[in-house]
Amino acid sequence: MCINTTTPRYLFHSTMQEQERKNMTTWKCCNLFVLIVLLLSAPFVISDSTQQRFYQCIQQYIDQSVPFSSAFFTPENSTTFNSILQSSAQNLRCLQASVSKPDLIFTPLTESHVQAAVVCAKQIGIHLRVRSGGHDYEGLSYISEIESPFVILDLSRLRAIDVNVQENTAWVQAGATIGELYYRISQKSKTHGFPAGLCPSLGVGGHITGGAYGPMMRKYGLGVDNAIDARIVDATGRVLDRTSMGEDLFWAIRGGGGASFGIILSWKLRLVPVPAIVSVFTVPKTLEQNGTKILHKWEQIADKINEDLFIRVIIQPVDGPQKGKRTIQTAYNALFLGRAERLLDVMNETFPELGLKRNDCLEMSWIQSVLYIGGYPTNTPPEVLLQGKSLFKSFFKAKSDFVRKPIGETGLEGLWKRLLEEDSPLIIWNPFGGMMAKISEFETPFPHREGVIYKIQYLTAWNNANDELEKKHYDWIRKLYKYMAAYASMMPREAYVNYRDLDLGKNKDNNPSFIEACSWGYKYFKDNFSKLVLVKTKVDPDNFFRHEQSIPTLLNMDQTKTRMIN
């Protein structure tokens, strides 16, 4: 969603103690005296039986040489609790008073804490929501419509990053942001990068589970296409890597959506080469500047131009030349993996209609381009990426589409009419092609590959918690989505899983039906949805990891439904 408009760090070292790389330690006995002392020393008053049972269970399963009492936050300590709850929430409508809140937030300090949380949630029968600290459009990592009470497992303290430029790899823990990863890579090398999100505040854990597209996707593919190993905690509390989890599960977590198969602890990522100098530009065009025809031309070449070039289009109403009247602006925001002179050659050959000039282009390092594309002001120091903060917090609703045929000028004119009816809409078109068209749609669960010209993100935002206001904006974006059905992909109408949209359908309880889940599952994953369900049934048959759009199992289906899958 990013557009141009000294917190503690838990550093990862290659000398990490071996005990943190092994599976959970066995049950540790604890006498009543020690239990009472620990409970009295906790930074909150445990008044709720669920909180108390969870806390007591955790301490029985972990190595108590690592203090953990400061990792618990309850509503009784409202200031600290709310601060943690709101820390990475980007969509303010998920924080309203009417929305369900967790009974407890647990911020594990080690992998073994995560293991203990899984074991204890199962043991005492409490629902677990997992948050790695990113955007989460529908807030499914920190709210629950389908069951209560629940606990949030917040991985924000697990943000270690170990970059190895000799091996062209990096291990990064799930609680780090993609901006932190970019920064750590840049500190080791000016000619290494990683192809993932445009917004630096994206949480690594969840971002990569959904695909992780970004401005180098046309050259190197998605983040998941460059994930070569992972460490997860499964539904039994075991820590697994790629070898021990097996290729089916490793396939499923690379694009199958977050919080369905296990808890991502860390990813091992393949770094990619980047030039020492890259080029960027942003060129706005309004309707009065021939904007409709230029955009239609972009539709025809966006997926076919040189794969070193990524040009997205940011579309929104702006003040027009006539006072009091708005028009539509299309801003062409680009990254080119090379110098400006070569960029101009590419543009003059394939997209001269934009009229790009040399003074439109800025040359900079790759890490500076991250800040530029992320919407930071010029001359912002790269260290800002360590803050992991989103530039965008609002009440909003988003949807997505994938386009396989150009919309054309008539369709665009209908789109402009509808955008001008809304207060503050935003649409972003991201081009595909290049490497994205060369990777099979079955290689990972992310299926939107060959034949996709571009992806659309629709967004409407408002500033106040007001039911009537919310309904107004929901109605508008749903009508817009209906209008765009004629121009979007069909059978299925595809959607991007990291732009979660509960309008597509949702699980109604903790034992979801495969048939019901198809309403959204095939939009996100196409034919890969069936395989995801089979993997889910194998690795989490009791459906421990679940939320409103988690992958269902086959265990509650009758034989007729099972035959439909086969």
Side-chain angles (χ1 to χ4, degrees):
M1 188 192 305
C2 295
I3 59 173
N4 288 342
T5 58
T6 316
T7 53
R9 300 297 165 209
Y10 298 85
L11 302 179
F12 181 100
H13 300 283
S14 58
T15 57
M16 178 184 286
Q17 295 181 355
E18 188 62 22
Q19 65 186 34
E20 283 306 312
R21 291 196 172 276
K22 295 181 180 179
N23 287 349
M24 185 174 54
T25 56
T26 56
W27 178 283
K28 294 186 175 183
C29 295
C30 183
N31 61 44
L32 181 60
F33 174 77
V34 174
L35 175 61
I36 293 173
V37 170
L38 284 171
L39 289 175
L40 290 176
S41 66
F44 58 85
V45 177
I46 303 178
S47 59
D48 180 83
S49 60
T50 298
Q51 298 169 357
Q52 182 176 11
R53 290 164 61 203
F54 189 77
Y55 184 89
Q56 291 173 351
C57 181
I58 291 285
Q59 67 178 353
Q60 294 178 79
Y61 279 98
I62 68 171
D63 179 358
Q64 295 185 30
S65 65
V66 179
F68 73 97
S69 59
S70 62
F72 289 81
F73 303 89
T74 67
E76 284 73 22
N77 188 345
S78 59
T79 301
T80 307
F81 177 83
N82 289 331
S83 176
I84 297 294
L85 180 63
Q86 297 170 16
S87 59
S88 63
Q90 188 189 32
N91 196 340
L92 298 182
R93 66 181 172 84
C94 299
L95 296 175
Q96 296 181 74
S98 59
V99 176
S100 61
K101 303 296 187 296
D103 282 32
L104 176 71
I105 301 174
F106 179 36
T107 58
L109 305 172
T110 67
E111 290 186 351
S112 63
H113 289 180
V114 179
Q115 294 177 272
V118 170
V119 171
C120 290
K122 293 183 74 172
Q123 183 172 310
I124 68 175
I126 188 169
H127 181 44
L128 198 66
R129 292 283 166 127
V130 183
R131 181 168 76 171
S132 67
H135 291 181
D136 196 351
Y137 281 16
E138 296 281 15
L140 301 185
S141 62
Y142 55 95
I143 67 175
S144 175
E145 295 182 9
I146 59 177
E147 55 193 308
S148 186
F150 68 100
V151 169
I152 291 178
L153 187 68
D154 185 305
L155 303 178
S156 59
R157 293 186 173 184
L158 298 177
R159 56 195 324 128
I161 300 171
D162 181 24
V163 176
N164 188 327
V165 294
Q166 287 72 35
E167 295 183 359
N168 297 319
T169 62
W171 272 103
V172 53
Q173 287 187 307
T177 64
I178 204 70
E180 289 177 272
L181 172 62
Y182 294 157
Y183 178 83
R184 297 300 179 196
I185 294 171
S186 73
Q187 292 300 290
K188 292 288 186 74
S189 170
K190 305 306 179 186
T191 56
H192 284 77
F194 183 71
L198 298 93
C199 298
S201 55
L202 291 161
V204 167
H207 178 48
I208 294 178
T209 61
Y213 78 89
M216 294 198 291
M217 61 190 279
R218 303 189 67 253
K219 179 74 171 183
Y220 297 116
L222 305 171
V224 293
D225 299 325
N226 295 277
I228 54 179
D229 203 346
R231 290 173 62 79
I232 71 169
V233 174
D234 74 356
T236 68
R238 298 176 299 170
V239 172
L240 305 174
D241 62 10
R242 179 172 183 172
T243 299
S244 54
M245 77 176 75
E247 288 302 303
D248 283 347
L249 181 51
F250 187 62
W251 174 87
I253 64 175
R254 289 179 298 139
S260 283
F261 304 97
I263 300 173
I264 305 294
L265 295 170
S266 55
W267 291 102
K268 185 178 183 180
L269 306 173
R270 179 192 302 112
L271 305 184
V272 300
V274 297
I277 299 295
V278 302
S279 303
V280 298
F281 67 78
T282 302
V283 175
K285 296 289 183 181
T286 64
L287 300 186
E288 293 75 16
Q289 297 170 312
N290 214 20
T292 302
K293 288 186 179 298
I294 293 173
L295 185 60
H296 180 46
K297 175 64 176 180
W298 177 92
E299 287 190 286
Q300 299 170 64
I301 58 91
D303 62 325
K304 302 177 181 66
I305 55 178
N306 190 294
E307 64 184 17
D308 287 336
L309 180 56
F310 172 92
I311 310 175
R312 66 171 177 166
V313 189
I314 302 165
I315 306 171
Q316 57 191 333
V318 296
D319 291 336
Q322 285 185 269
K323 186 176 181 180
K325 190 172 182 180
R326 297 195 301 171
T327 186
I328 297 296
Q329 176 182 276
T330 54
Y332 296 83
N333 180 230
L335 168 68
F336 179 68
L337 299 175
R339 303 296 295 248
E341 293 307 316
R342 187 163 73 90
L343 167 59
L344 287 170
D345 289 341
V346 171
M347 289 293 290
N348 288 334
E349 180 181 348
T350 57
F351 194 19
E353 292 81 359
L354 188 62
L356 186 70
K357 304 287 193 299
R358 177 61 183 86
N359 60 5
D360 295 322
C361 306
L362 300 174
E363 293 186 334
M364 58 185 61
S365 66
W366 173 73
I367 194 63
Q368 289 173 319
S369 78
V370 167
L371 295 166
Y372 178 89
I373 296 293
Y376 286 90
T378 305
N379 298 324
T380 300
E383 285 72 21
V384 73
L385 297 173
L386 297 177
Q387 296 178 7
K389 295 186 181 300
S390 174
L391 296 181
F392 182 95
K393 283 181 179 285
S394 183
F395 299 85
F396 69 88
K397 175 64 181 175
K399 290 180 173 293
S400 62
D401 264 322
F402 289 85
V403 176
R404 294 176 176 269
K405 294 181 180 179
I407 293 175
E409 293 184 35
T410 301
L412 292 176
E413 289 167 356
L415 177 58
W416 306 154
K417 177 183 177 181
R418 286 158 176 81
L419 288 178
L420 291 170
E421 293 172 351
E422 176 66 345
D423 297 333
S424 55
L426 176 69
I427 297 181
I428 303 176
W429 292 9
N430 290 284
F432 274 51
M435 182 58 71
M436 292 299 296
K438 300 173 186 177
I439 299 173
S440 166
E441 67 179 67
F442 305 108
E443 183 70 20
T444 71
F446 183 98
H448 320 288
R449 304 282 190 169
E450 185 178 8
V452 173
I453 302 175
Y454 57 94
K455 175 177 62 63
I456 301 179
Q457 177 179 192
Y458 311 96
L459 187 137
T460 180
W462 57 100
N463 295 321
N464 299 308
N466 180 289
D467 290 343
E468 290 185 9
L469 196 60
E470 180 174 306
K471 182 180 183 303
K472 171 190 171 184
H473 292 292
Y474 264 72
D475 287 346
W476 175 82
I477 199 168
R478 287 166 177 164
K479 289 177 182 177
L480 176 67
Y481 188 70
K482 183 178 181 180
Y483 168 76
M484 291 297 293
Y487 307 105
S489 60
M490 295 183 290
M491 300 180 65
R493 183 176 182 178
E494 299 165 62
Y496 180 41
V497 69
N498 271 0
Y499 297 159
R500 290 279 184 191
D501 180 6
L502 294 182
D503 283 353
L504 302 180
K506 55 186 175 182
N507 302 329
K508 295 181 173 60
D509 53 40
N510 59 13
N511 190 28
S513 159
F514 170 80
I515 300 300
E516 292 176 343
C518 286
S519 65
W520 51 264
Y522 277 99
K523 290 181 174 66
Y524 291 144
F525 308 113
K526 298 177 65 177
D527 289 340
N528 290 329
F529 182 59
S530 295
K531 183 176 177 181
L532 288 169
V533 172
L534 294 175
V535 175
K536 170 72 171 183
T537 303
K538 179 180 178 181
V539 303
D540 185 16
D542 296 327
N543 196 34
F544 175 76
F545 296 111
R546 59 187 182 268
H547 54 72
E548 285 74 8
Q549 283 189 345
S550 59
I551 303 296
T553 72
L554 290 175
L555 297 184
N556 65 335
M557 295 177 61
D558 58 32
Q559 294 182 357
T560 301
K561 294 176 182 177
T562 303
R563 284 197 297 271
M564 292 177 66
I565 298 298
N566 298 330

